[in-house]
Amino acid sequence: MQSHHDIAIIGAGPVGGALACALAVRGWRVALVDKAALPPMEHPDFDGRAYAIAAGSKRLLDAAGLWDALPFPPCPIFDIAVTDGQAGRKASPLRLHFDHRAVGDDPFGWIIEARSLRVALNRRLHEHKNILLRAPSEASVVRNTDGVRVSLDSGEVIEARLVVAADGRNSLLRAQAGIPVTRLVYGQSAVVCAVAHEKPHQGVALEHFLPGGPFAQLPMSGNEQHEHVSAIVFTDRHDVVKRLGLLDDARFTREVAKRLGDHLGKITLVGRRWTYPLSAMHAARYFDTRLALIGDAAHGVHPIAGQGLNLGLQDALALIDVLQDAPDPGERALLAAYQAARRPANLTMLAATDALDRLFSTNNPAIRLVRDLGLAAVDRMPRLKRRFMLTAMGR
């Protein structure tokens, strides 16, 4: 069987799936292929994983019809507290505080459950008449100046004018195109979980810098079992994270409490724990003949600012804008324009997150004093704080 489409997308994760939905709404005929089956991605139980969605990135989820389809309510982030310290000790009194009211009425962003976005994506991908979904399915892609041919393991053939690589950091399409990648290794792993707590979080997110790496507490919406819930994301050296992974829930929760502090009262671990080795990467270019890279196929950053998914969603928005009313979505000039729109911003975020991690992941007393004074100084500079806040909101 053979079918013809405007755009083929390889990878049905949050970025590839959202892009497919948004393009379909605009009338593009889209084929979406993923090697994994989609329903198992939906994790029926709360599993502790969440996404930080910046205000600017919400535009894509709105345009794709996903935001209103989320089955569990997102939690707004109204304030962000940035502190520095050591595990088990009170944070330094020199700190930085961002209040959303300084830049308007909108929150900085929202925290949504990972399973919530997956459920919404799966529903919309199956509903839209402009989307041909093939998952699970292995794809072989051949590109030339005339078009794209996607051959599936079922024998089906999909013809398109552009293929989008949304197939992650180990992108096969990127490798096949011979696009070089620069990688940064941190010697750290991330720990992801969720906790229920006694006191309300008031929509405040915490970024607490510790010698082993940054610790983040992200406000989530409560549920029937727990009124007050927060997502936890923190990094530490591989050996420390490996040791934490061997602890039972009670001892692990005490380790989280040492990093979090007592401002939320007693905490209880809910859902699962997840660990991921950390690295950063960036592709030398974002396009090739009738090929565009988006999301993790094009770049990956340290999670220190929670911007990884947001950068991918911003890629998708930029690609949609470039392709608007284009007679041929695979035209080289359009793909070059997409790269020009996104590559500088992504490189800037890569450099910023890398520098922040290297600056704050140290226990050198002199460096700690300088950075604490720096946080306090920025807190007294309204214009600079405003610029930081607008960047965090994706504006």
Side-chain angles (χ1 to χ4, degrees), residues 131-294:
I131 297 176
L132 174 72
L133 178 63
R134 293 292 182 262
S137 189
E138 295 285 347
S140 175
V141 179
V142 176
R143 299 174 289 110
N144 57 46
T145 55
D146 296 324
V148 177
R149 184 180 179 89
V150 182
S151 300
L152 305 183
D153 52 4
S154 64
E156 183 178 0
V157 174
I158 296 168
E159 292 191 344
R161 292 178 290 171
L162 170 68
V163 62
V164 177
D167 52 346
R169 290 199 183 192
N170 298 316
S171 171
L172 182 60
L173 284 175
R174 184 189 66 221
Q176 290 173 341
I179 299 175
V181 171
T182 299
R183 300 185 186 275
L184 301 174
V185 179
Y186 292 108
Q188 297 172 321
S189 290
V191 181
V192 178
C193 62
V195 296
H197 39 84
E198 288 182 306
K199 302 176 183 178
H201 49 55
Q202 308 292 357
V204 179
L206 169 69
E207 187 80 31
H208 186 39
F209 290 109
L210 297 168
F215 176 97
Q217 169 255 318
L218 308 171
M220 297 182 70
S221 297
N223 52 49
E224 293 180 358
Q225 291 76 34
H226 306 286
E227 183 179 4
H228 308 304
V229 181
S230 290
I232 301 296
V233 181
F234 69 93
T235 65
D236 216 313
R237 300 189 316 271
H238 292 314
D239 61 314
V240 174
V241 171
K242 183 177 180 180
R243 177 178 59 81
L244 292 175
L246 299 175
L247 301 179
D248 59 30
D249 284 355
R251 293 168 66 197
F252 176 79
T253 302
R254 286 197 290 272
E255 290 293 329
V256 174
K258 283 169 57 177
R259 293 161 171 81
L260 176 63
D262 59 3
H263 66 285
L264 295 177
K266 182 181 178 181
I267 64 171
T268 305
L269 184 69
V270 293
R272 295 177 54 185
R273 313 178 219 167
W274 307 82
T275 60
Y276 306 93
L278 297 183
S279 63
M281 55 77 65
H282 200 269
R285 62 182 191 276
Y286 286 10
F287 72 97
D288 198 72
T289 302
R290 295 195 174 275
L291 168 69
L293 309 183
I294 67 169

Side-chain angles (χ1 to χ4, degrees), residues 278-330:
L278 297 183
S279 63
M281 55 77 65
H282 200 269
R285 62 182 191 276
Y286 286 10
F287 72 97
D288 198 72
T289 302
R290 295 195 174 275
L291 168 69
L293 309 183
I294 67 169
D296 286 352
H299 48 75
V301 299
H302 193 287
I304 193 168
Q307 291 298 312
L309 176 59
N310 288 295
L311 294 180
L313 298 178
Q314 292 291 331
D315 291 346
L317 283 167
L319 186 59
I320 292 168
D321 288 344
V322 164
L323 298 183
Q324 184 73 28
D325 300 323
D328 180 0

